[in-house]
mmCIF file of all heavy atoms in Angstrom:
data_model
loop_
_atom_site.group_PDB
_atom_site.id
_atom_site.type_symbol
_atom_site.label_atom_id
_atom_site.label_comp_id
_atom_site.label_asym_id
_atom_site.label_seq_id
_atom_site.Cartn_x
_atom_site.Cartn_y
_atom_site.Cartn_z
ATOM 1 N N GLY A 249 3.119 -16.975 7.359
ATOM 2 C CA GLY A 249 3.340 -18.289 6.830
ATOM 3 C C GLY A 249 4.102 -19.139 7.891
ATOM 4 O O GLY A 249 4.781 -20.068 7.571
ATOM 5 N N ASN A 250 3.816 -18.819 9.215
ATOM 6 C CA ASN A 250 4.435 -19.785 10.263
ATOM 7 C C ASN A 250 3.172 -20.706 10.754
ATOM 8 O O ASN A 250 2.053 -20.399 10.544
ATOM 9 C CB ASN A 250 5.197 -19.024 11.314
ATOM 10 C CG ASN A 250 4.414 -17.832 11.700
ATOM 11 O OD1 ASN A 250 3.178 -17.813 11.635
ATOM 12 N ND2 ASN A 250 5.024 -16.806 12.257
ATOM 13 N N LYS A 251 3.724 -21.583 11.587
ATOM 14 C CA LYS A 251 2.856 -22.535 11.994
ATOM 15 C C LYS A 251 1.559 -22.057 12.691
ATOM 16 O O LYS A 251 0.391 -22.716 12.631
ATOM 17 C CB LYS A 251 3.648 -23.565 13.026
ATOM 18 C CG LYS A 251 3.263 -25.053 12.694
ATOM 19 C CD LYS A 251 4.169 -25.979 13.576
ATOM 20 C CE LYS A 251 3.743 -27.372 13.507
ATOM 21 N NZ LYS A 251 3.486 -27.852 12.189
ATOM 22 N N ASN A 252 1.637 -21.107 13.477
ATOM 23 C CA ASN A 252 0.615 -20.496 14.245
ATOM 24 C C ASN A 252 -0.294 -19.583 13.495
ATOM 25 O O ASN A 252 -1.322 -19.097 14.008
ATOM 26 C CB ASN A 252 1.101 -19.788 15.423
ATOM 27 C CG ASN A 252 1.883 -20.680 16.445
ATOM 28 O OD1 ASN A 252 1.376 -21.976 16.565
ATOM 29 N ND2 ASN A 252 2.858 -20.270 17.058
ATOM 30 N N SER A 253 -0.084 -19.522 12.172
ATOM 31 C CA SER A 253 -0.809 -18.588 11.429
ATOM 32 C C SER A 253 -2.293 -18.978 11.253
ATOM 33 O O SER A 253 -2.459 -20.183 11.111
ATOM 34 C CB SER A 253 -0.153 -18.246 10.051
ATOM 35 O OG SER A 253 -0.897 -17.565 9.227
ATOM 36 N N LYS A 254 -3.169 -18.102 11.074
ATOM 37 C CA LYS A 254 -4.584 -18.405 10.689
ATOM 38 C C LYS A 254 -4.771 -18.692 9.223
ATOM 39 O O LYS A 254 -5.863 -19.105 8.879
ATOM 40 C CB LYS A 254 -5.441 -17.230 11.119
ATOM 41 C CG LYS A 254 -5.388 -16.022 10.285
ATOM 42 C CD LYS A 254 -6.626 -15.145 10.592
ATOM 43 C CE LYS A 254 -6.471 -13.910 9.711
ATOM 44 N NZ LYS A 254 -7.759 -12.990 9.697
ATOM 45 N N PHE A 255 -3.660 -18.568 8.355
ATOM 46 C CA PHE A 255 -3.851 -18.657 6.938
ATOM 47 C C PHE A 255 -3.325 -20.071 6.519
ATOM 48 O O PHE A 255 -2.295 -20.655 7.090
ATOM 49 C CB PHE A 255 -3.018 -17.609 6.232
ATOM 50 C CG PHE A 255 -3.507 -16.331 6.520
ATOM 51 C CD1 PHE A 255 -2.755 -15.394 7.428
ATOM 52 C CD2 PHE A 255 -4.582 -15.779 6.109
ATOM 53 C CE1 PHE A 255 -3.247 -14.195 7.836
ATOM 54 C CE2 PHE A 255 -5.051 -14.417 6.288
ATOM 55 C CZ PHE A 255 -4.383 -13.710 7.135
ATOM 56 N N GLY A 256 -3.931 -20.509 5.501
ATOM 57 C CA GLY A 256 -3.286 -21.720 4.866
ATOM 58 C C GLY A 256 -3.614 -23.105 5.470
ATOM 59 O O GLY A 256 -4.060 -23.149 6.652
ATOM 60 N N ILE A 257 -3.269 -24.207 4.750
ATOM 61 C CA ILE A 257 -3.304 -25.471 5.228
ATOM 62 C C ILE A 257 -2.106 -25.973 5.889
ATOM 63 O O ILE A 257 -1.020 -25.465 5.538
ATOM 64 C CB ILE A 257 -3.885 -26.453 4.150
ATOM 65 C CG1 ILE A 257 -2.742 -26.623 3.021
ATOM 66 C CG2 ILE A 257 -5.032 -25.914 3.294
ATOM 67 C CD1 ILE A 257 -3.022 -27.714 2.097
ATOM 68 N N ARG A 258 -2.382 -26.783 6.808
ATOM 69 C CA ARG A 258 -1.134 -27.489 7.535
ATOM 70 C C ARG A 258 -0.465 -28.347 6.552
ATOM 71 O O ARG A 258 -1.100 -29.117 5.952
ATOM 72 C CB ARG A 258 -1.568 -28.196 8.687
ATOM 73 C CG ARG A 258 -1.852 -27.327 9.810
ATOM 74 C CD ARG A 258 -2.278 -28.117 11.094
ATOM 75 N NE ARG A 258 -3.523 -28.842 10.835
ATOM 76 C CZ ARG A 258 -3.852 -29.854 11.545
ATOM 77 N NH1 ARG A 258 -3.055 -30.535 12.393
ATOM 78 N NH2 ARG A 258 -5.132 -30.508 11.331
ATOM 79 N N ASN A 259 0.952 -28.170 6.443
ATOM 80 C CA ASN A 259 1.515 -29.022 5.342
ATOM 81 C C ASN A 259 1.363 -30.546 5.704
ATOM 82 O O ASN A 259 1.268 -31.299 4.693
ATOM 83 C CB ASN A 259 2.986 -28.652 5.195
ATOM 84 C CG ASN A 259 3.694 -28.462 6.456
ATOM 85 O OD1 ASN A 259 3.485 -29.263 7.474
ATOM 86 N ND2 ASN A 259 4.561 -27.428 6.500
ATOM 87 N N GLU A 260 1.125 -30.859 6.963
ATOM 88 C CA GLU A 260 0.923 -32.427 7.241
ATOM 89 C C GLU A 260 -0.489 -32.888 6.577
ATOM 90 O O GLU A 260 -0.553 -34.165 6.474
ATOM 91 C CB GLU A 260 0.938 -32.729 8.705
ATOM 92 C CG GLU A 260 1.838 -32.079 9.585
ATOM 93 C CD GLU A 260 1.399 -30.753 10.118
ATOM 94 O OE1 GLU A 260 0.640 -30.555 11.127
ATOM 95 O OE2 GLU A 260 1.854 -29.663 9.457
ATOM 96 N N LYS A 261 -1.249 -31.881 6.303
ATOM 97 C CA LYS A 261 -2.576 -32.301 5.853
ATOM 98 C C LYS A 261 -2.763 -32.398 4.364
ATOM 99 O O LYS A 261 -3.804 -32.422 3.742
ATOM 100 C CB LYS A 261 -3.681 -31.372 6.316
ATOM 101 C CG LYS A 261 -3.950 -31.431 7.859
ATOM 102 C CD LYS A 261 -5.010 -32.572 8.202
ATOM 103 C CE LYS A 261 -6.299 -32.107 7.665
ATOM 104 N NZ LYS A 261 -7.499 -32.776 8.161
ATOM 105 N N LEU A 262 -1.505 -32.143 3.711
ATOM 106 C CA LEU A 262 -1.581 -32.046 2.199
ATOM 107 C C LEU A 262 -2.319 -33.227 1.567
ATOM 108 O O LEU A 262 -3.151 -32.999 0.794
ATOM 109 C CB LEU A 262 -0.111 -32.043 1.765
ATOM 110 C CG LEU A 262 0.039 -31.962 0.332
ATOM 111 C CD1 LEU A 262 -0.541 -30.684 -0.322
ATOM 112 C CD2 LEU A 262 1.566 -31.917 -0.161
ATOM 113 N N GLN A 263 -2.067 -34.524 1.995
ATOM 114 C CA GLN A 263 -2.712 -35.667 1.252
ATOM 115 C C GLN A 263 -4.219 -35.631 1.527
ATOM 116 O O GLN A 263 -4.900 -35.868 0.518
ATOM 117 C CB GLN A 263 -2.158 -36.891 1.994
ATOM 118 C CG GLN A 263 -2.612 -38.216 1.118
ATOM 119 C CD GLN A 263 -2.025 -38.033 -0.251
ATOM 120 O OE1 GLN A 263 -0.909 -37.764 -0.618
ATOM 121 N NE2 GLN A 263 -2.984 -38.232 -1.309
ATOM 122 N N TRP A 264 -4.697 -35.084 2.579
ATOM 123 C CA TRP A 264 -6.233 -34.916 2.772
ATOM 124 C C TRP A 264 -6.686 -34.076 1.667
ATOM 125 O O TRP A 264 -7.780 -34.365 1.052
ATOM 126 C CB TRP A 264 -6.473 -34.388 4.108
ATOM 127 C CG TRP A 264 -7.951 -34.421 4.411
ATOM 128 C CD1 TRP A 264 -8.676 -35.233 5.056
ATOM 129 C CD2 TRP A 264 -8.964 -33.272 3.888
ATOM 130 N NE1 TRP A 264 -10.000 -34.918 5.051
ATOM 131 C CE2 TRP A 264 -10.170 -33.662 4.437
ATOM 132 C CE3 TRP A 264 -8.845 -32.165 3.313
ATOM 133 C CZ2 TRP A 264 -11.431 -32.936 4.119
ATOM 134 C CZ3 TRP A 264 -9.966 -31.324 3.030
ATOM 135 C CH2 TRP A 264 -11.225 -31.804 3.418
ATOM 136 N N PHE A 265 -6.056 -32.890 1.362
ATOM 137 C CA PHE A 265 -6.510 -31.957 0.344
ATOM 138 C C PHE A 265 -6.431 -32.575 -1.016
ATOM 139 O O PHE A 265 -7.206 -32.409 -1.829
ATOM 140 C CB PHE A 265 -5.771 -30.652 0.528
ATOM 141 C CG PHE A 265 -6.319 -29.900 1.698
ATOM 142 C CD1 PHE A 265 -5.722 -30.026 2.936
ATOM 143 C CD2 PHE A 265 -7.416 -29.025 1.482
ATOM 144 C CE1 PHE A 265 -6.159 -29.215 3.961
ATOM 145 C CE2 PHE A 265 -7.871 -28.221 2.710
ATOM 146 C CZ PHE A 265 -7.215 -28.463 3.884
ATOM 147 N N LEU A 266 -5.429 -33.298 -1.311
ATOM 148 C CA LEU A 266 -5.164 -33.875 -2.586
ATOM 149 C C LEU A 266 -6.332 -34.877 -2.759
ATOM 150 O O LEU A 266 -6.918 -34.947 -3.900
ATOM 151 C CB LEU A 266 -3.874 -34.592 -2.767
ATOM 152 C CG LEU A 266 -2.631 -33.709 -2.586
ATOM 153 C CD1 LEU A 266 -1.402 -34.352 -2.819
ATOM 154 C CD2 LEU A 266 -2.693 -32.455 -3.796
ATOM 155 N N ASP A 267 -6.710 -35.652 -1.855
ATOM 156 C CA ASP A 267 -7.812 -36.639 -1.889
ATOM 157 C C ASP A 267 -9.116 -35.894 -2.116
ATOM 158 O O ASP A 267 -9.890 -36.472 -2.969
ATOM 159 C CB ASP A 267 -7.793 -37.481 -0.613
ATOM 160 C CG ASP A 267 -6.675 -38.462 -0.596
ATOM 161 O OD1 ASP A 267 -5.909 -38.697 -1.593
ATOM 162 O OD2 ASP A 267 -6.320 -38.929 0.484
ATOM 163 N N ALA A 268 -9.298 -34.904 -1.478
ATOM 164 C CA ALA A 268 -10.514 -34.189 -1.607
ATOM 165 C C ALA A 268 -10.568 -33.565 -2.958
ATOM 166 O O ALA A 268 -11.663 -33.459 -3.520
ATOM 167 C CB ALA A 268 -10.533 -32.946 -0.564
ATOM 168 N N VAL A 269 -9.487 -33.042 -3.579
ATOM 169 C CA VAL A 269 -9.584 -32.483 -4.992
ATOM 170 C C VAL A 269 -9.953 -33.638 -5.900
ATOM 171 O O VAL A 269 -10.733 -33.592 -6.799
ATOM 172 C CB VAL A 269 -8.282 -31.836 -5.487
ATOM 173 C CG1 VAL A 269 -8.299 -31.375 -6.823
ATOM 174 C CG2 VAL A 269 -8.001 -30.555 -4.451
ATOM 175 N N LYS A 270 -9.282 -34.761 -5.722
ATOM 176 C CA LYS A 270 -9.505 -36.054 -6.525
ATOM 177 C C LYS A 270 -11.005 -36.336 -6.615
ATOM 178 O O LYS A 270 -11.478 -36.878 -7.424
ATOM 179 C CB LYS A 270 -8.564 -37.105 -6.004
ATOM 180 C CG LYS A 270 -7.230 -37.232 -6.674
ATOM 181 C CD LYS A 270 -6.538 -38.417 -6.242
ATOM 182 C CE LYS A 270 -5.028 -38.271 -6.143
ATOM 183 N NZ LYS A 270 -4.267 -39.188 -5.244
ATOM 184 N N ALA A 271 -11.582 -36.125 -5.370
ATOM 185 C CA ALA A 271 -13.000 -36.649 -5.237
ATOM 186 C C ALA A 271 -13.945 -35.583 -5.870
ATOM 187 O O ALA A 271 -15.077 -35.991 -5.934
ATOM 188 C CB ALA A 271 -13.314 -36.678 -3.763
ATOM 189 N N HIS A 272 -13.441 -34.632 -6.340
ATOM 190 C CA HIS A 272 -14.346 -33.596 -6.949
ATOM 191 C C HIS A 272 -13.864 -33.128 -8.325
ATOM 192 O O HIS A 272 -13.554 -32.020 -8.578
ATOM 193 C CB HIS A 272 -14.475 -32.307 -6.072
ATOM 194 C CG HIS A 272 -15.158 -32.669 -4.801
ATOM 195 N ND1 HIS A 272 -14.454 -32.893 -3.659
ATOM 196 C CD2 HIS A 272 -16.420 -32.812 -4.473
ATOM 197 C CE1 HIS A 272 -15.390 -33.174 -2.711
ATOM 198 N NE2 HIS A 272 -16.538 -33.121 -3.244
ATOM 199 N N PRO A 273 -13.768 -34.138 -9.354
ATOM 200 C CA PRO A 273 -13.168 -33.935 -10.663
ATOM 201 C C PRO A 273 -13.960 -32.931 -11.421
ATOM 202 O O PRO A 273 -13.525 -32.237 -12.347
ATOM 203 C CB PRO A 273 -13.068 -35.193 -11.250
ATOM 204 C CG PRO A 273 -14.098 -35.987 -10.627
ATOM 205 C CD PRO A 273 -14.212 -35.499 -9.249
ATOM 206 N N ASN A 274 -15.194 -32.790 -11.178
ATOM 207 C CA ASN A 274 -16.141 -31.829 -12.004
ATOM 208 C C ASN A 274 -16.121 -30.442 -11.358
ATOM 209 O O ASN A 274 -16.532 -29.542 -12.157
ATOM 210 C CB ASN A 274 -17.656 -32.346 -11.927
ATOM 211 C CG ASN A 274 -17.708 -33.733 -12.566
ATOM 212 O OD1 ASN A 274 -16.928 -34.102 -13.538
ATOM 213 N ND2 ASN A 274 -18.612 -34.568 -12.009
ATOM 214 N N GLU A 275 -15.797 -30.423 -10.261
ATOM 215 C CA GLU A 275 -15.691 -28.955 -9.668
ATOM 216 C C GLU A 275 -14.388 -28.303 -9.520
ATOM 217 O O GLU A 275 -14.253 -27.117 -9.518
ATOM 218 C CB GLU A 275 -16.387 -29.098 -8.194
ATOM 219 C CG GLU A 275 -17.790 -29.337 -8.109
ATOM 220 C CD GLU A 275 -17.954 -30.919 -8.114
ATOM 221 O OE1 GLU A 275 -17.042 -31.689 -8.105
ATOM 222 O OE2 GLU A 275 -19.182 -31.403 -7.856
ATOM 223 N N LEU A 276 -13.388 -29.096 -9.202
ATOM 224 C CA LEU A 276 -11.958 -28.413 -8.913
ATOM 225 C C LEU A 276 -10.953 -29.032 -9.874
ATOM 226 O O LEU A 276 -10.846 -30.205 -10.154
ATOM 227 C CB LEU A 276 -11.640 -29.057 -7.452
ATOM 228 C CG LEU A 276 -12.605 -28.634 -6.422
ATOM 229 C CD1 LEU A 276 -12.021 -29.191 -5.015
ATOM 230 C CD2 LEU A 276 -12.832 -27.124 -6.358
ATOM 231 N N LYS A 277 -10.133 -28.098 -10.427
ATOM 232 C CA LYS A 277 -8.990 -28.445 -11.054
ATOM 233 C C LYS A 277 -7.738 -27.938 -10.285
ATOM 234 O O LYS A 277 -7.562 -26.664 -10.170
ATOM 235 C CB LYS A 277 -8.953 -27.935 -12.491
ATOM 236 C CG LYS A 277 -7.708 -28.268 -13.249
ATOM 237 C CD LYS A 277 -7.899 -27.939 -14.822
ATOM 238 C CE LYS A 277 -6.642 -27.944 -15.597
ATOM 239 N NZ LYS A 277 -5.515 -28.724 -15.290
ATOM 240 N N LEU A 278 -6.805 -28.750 -9.797
ATOM 241 C CA LEU A 278 -5.711 -28.295 -9.110
ATOM 242 C C LEU A 278 -4.677 -27.868 -9.996
ATOM 243 O O LEU A 278 -4.123 -28.733 -10.815
ATOM 244 C CB LEU A 278 -5.168 -29.424 -8.145
ATOM 245 C CG LEU A 278 -4.107 -29.052 -7.184
ATOM 246 C CD1 LEU A 278 -4.376 -27.895 -6.279
ATOM 247 C CD2 LEU A 278 -3.475 -30.279 -6.408
ATOM 248 N N VAL A 279 -4.276 -26.572 -9.896
ATOM 249 C CA VAL A 279 -3.381 -26.036 -10.929
ATOM 250 C C VAL A 279 -2.055 -25.633 -10.215
ATOM 251 O O VAL A 279 -1.113 -25.341 -10.933
ATOM 252 C CB VAL A 279 -3.944 -24.805 -11.781
ATOM 253 C CG1 VAL A 279 -5.228 -25.342 -12.601
ATOM 254 C CG2 VAL A 279 -4.299 -23.697 -10.827
ATOM 255 N N GLY A 280 -2.033 -25.484 -8.967
ATOM 256 C CA GLY A 280 -0.798 -24.934 -8.319
ATOM 257 C C GLY A 280 -0.687 -25.051 -6.844
ATOM 258 O O GLY A 280 -1.764 -25.386 -6.177
ATOM 259 N N ALA A 281 0.453 -24.524 -6.366
ATOM 260 C CA ALA A 281 0.651 -24.393 -4.917
ATOM 261 C C ALA A 281 1.038 -22.832 -4.606
ATOM 262 O O ALA A 281 1.596 -22.165 -5.389
ATOM 263 C CB ALA A 281 1.697 -25.246 -4.418
ATOM 264 N N HIS A 282 0.380 -22.441 -3.477
ATOM 265 C CA HIS A 282 0.604 -21.138 -3.056
ATOM 266 C C HIS A 282 1.117 -20.997 -1.570
ATOM 267 O O HIS A 282 0.776 -21.862 -0.781
ATOM 268 C CB HIS A 282 -0.744 -20.337 -3.162
ATOM 269 C CG HIS A 282 -0.923 -18.948 -2.503
ATOM 270 N ND1 HIS A 282 -1.545 -18.606 -1.546
ATOM 271 C CD2 HIS A 282 -0.103 -17.878 -2.724
ATOM 272 C CE1 HIS A 282 -1.443 -17.368 -1.129
ATOM 273 N NE2 HIS A 282 -0.511 -16.821 -1.878
ATOM 274 N N CYS A 283 2.015 -20.068 -1.340
ATOM 275 C CA CYS A 283 2.297 -19.599 -0.083
ATOM 276 C C CYS A 283 2.584 -18.166 0.047
ATOM 277 O O CYS A 283 2.789 -17.427 -0.948
ATOM 278 C CB CYS A 283 3.632 -20.265 0.442
ATOM 279 S SG CYS A 283 5.144 -19.790 -0.350
ATOM 280 N N HIS A 284 2.305 -17.623 1.210
ATOM 281 C CA HIS A 284 2.590 -16.215 1.409
ATOM 282 C C HIS A 284 3.225 -16.032 2.851
ATOM 283 O O HIS A 284 2.421 -16.402 3.792
ATOM 284 C CB HIS A 284 1.286 -15.329 1.224
ATOM 285 C CG HIS A 284 1.586 -13.869 1.733
ATOM 286 N ND1 HIS A 284 2.224 -12.914 0.902
ATOM 287 C CD2 HIS A 284 1.187 -13.224 2.854
ATOM 288 C CE1 HIS A 284 2.255 -11.860 1.528
ATOM 289 N NE2 HIS A 284 1.730 -11.937 2.710
ATOM 290 N N LEU A 285 4.408 -15.516 2.908
ATOM 291 C CA LEU A 285 5.148 -15.725 4.250
ATOM 292 C C LEU A 285 4.818 -14.591 5.161
ATOM 293 O O LEU A 285 4.944 -14.697 6.448
ATOM 294 C CB LEU A 285 6.736 -15.783 3.904
ATOM 295 C CG LEU A 285 7.066 -16.686 2.899
ATOM 296 C CD1 LEU A 285 8.594 -16.604 2.591
ATOM 297 C CD2 LEU A 285 6.677 -18.045 3.489
ATOM 298 N N GLY A 286 4.620 -13.468 4.658
ATOM 299 C CA GLY A 286 4.410 -12.195 5.602
ATOM 300 C C GLY A 286 4.784 -10.942 4.651
ATOM 301 O O GLY A 286 4.837 -11.127 3.468
ATOM 302 N N SER A 287 4.853 -9.842 5.331
ATOM 303 C CA SER A 287 5.091 -8.594 4.584
ATOM 304 C C SER A 287 6.343 -7.907 5.242
ATOM 305 O O SER A 287 6.666 -8.289 6.482
ATOM 306 C CB SER A 287 3.870 -7.787 4.797
ATOM 307 O OG SER A 287 3.693 -6.813 3.802
ATOM 308 N N THR A 288 6.784 -6.878 4.681
ATOM 309 C CA THR A 288 8.025 -6.121 4.930
ATOM 310 C C THR A 288 9.233 -6.991 5.110
ATOM 311 O O THR A 288 10.189 -6.754 5.928
ATOM 312 C CB THR A 288 7.832 -5.332 6.361
ATOM 313 O OG1 THR A 288 7.696 -6.262 7.403
ATOM 314 C CG2 THR A 288 6.575 -4.431 6.232
ATOM 315 N N ILE A 289 9.320 -8.119 4.278
ATOM 316 C CA ILE A 289 10.500 -9.039 4.391
ATOM 317 C C ILE A 289 11.673 -8.312 3.702
ATOM 318 O O ILE A 289 11.640 -7.859 2.513
ATOM 319 C CB ILE A 289 10.114 -10.195 3.636
ATOM 320 C CG1 ILE A 289 8.962 -10.908 4.491
ATOM 321 C CG2 ILE A 289 11.369 -11.330 3.656
ATOM 322 C CD1 ILE A 289 8.439 -12.156 3.730
ATOM 323 N N THR A 290 12.770 -8.257 4.389
ATOM 324 C CA THR A 290 13.994 -7.648 3.785
ATOM 325 C C THR A 290 15.058 -8.611 3.510
ATOM 326 O O THR A 290 16.231 -8.145 3.285
ATOM 327 C CB THR A 290 14.495 -6.515 4.727
ATOM 328 O OG1 THR A 290 14.631 -7.230 6.000
ATOM 329 C CG2 THR A 290 13.465 -5.358 4.740
ATOM 330 N N LYS A 291 14.859 -9.968 3.626
ATOM 331 C CA LYS A 291 15.900 -10.935 3.277
ATOM 332 C C LYS A 291 15.398 -11.908 2.325
ATOM 333 O O LYS A 291 14.425 -12.589 2.564
ATOM 334 C CB LYS A 291 16.323 -11.669 4.503
ATOM 335 C CG LYS A 291 17.006 -10.886 5.493
ATOM 336 C CD LYS A 291 17.472 -11.597 6.809
ATOM 337 C CE LYS A 291 18.062 -10.731 7.778
ATOM 338 N NZ LYS A 291 17.715 -11.143 9.129
ATOM 339 N N VAL A 292 15.969 -11.950 1.065
ATOM 340 C CA VAL A 292 15.281 -12.723 -0.060
ATOM 341 C C VAL A 292 15.611 -14.286 0.282
ATOM 342 O O VAL A 292 15.003 -15.227 -0.211
ATOM 343 C CB VAL A 292 15.724 -12.310 -1.368
ATOM 344 C CG1 VAL A 292 14.992 -11.033 -1.846
ATOM 345 C CG2 VAL A 292 17.261 -12.235 -1.473
#
Side-chain angles (χ1 to χ4, degrees):
N250 47 24
K251 219 173 175 50
N252 295 328
S253 165
K254 70 170 183 167
F255 300 102
I257 66 172
R258 283 183 291 155
N259 48 36
E260 317 87 86
K261 289 274 293 197
L262 179 61
Q263 192 57 50
W264 185 94
F265 283 91
L266 296 180
D267 292 341
V269 172
K270 275 184 204 156
H272 296 97
N274 297 327
E275 292 89 357
L276 306 177
K277 178 168 170 25
L278 182 61
V279 298
H282 170 237
C283 68
H284 173 74
L285 306 175
S287 205
T288 67
I289 299 171
T290 51
K291 294 183 186 140
V292 286

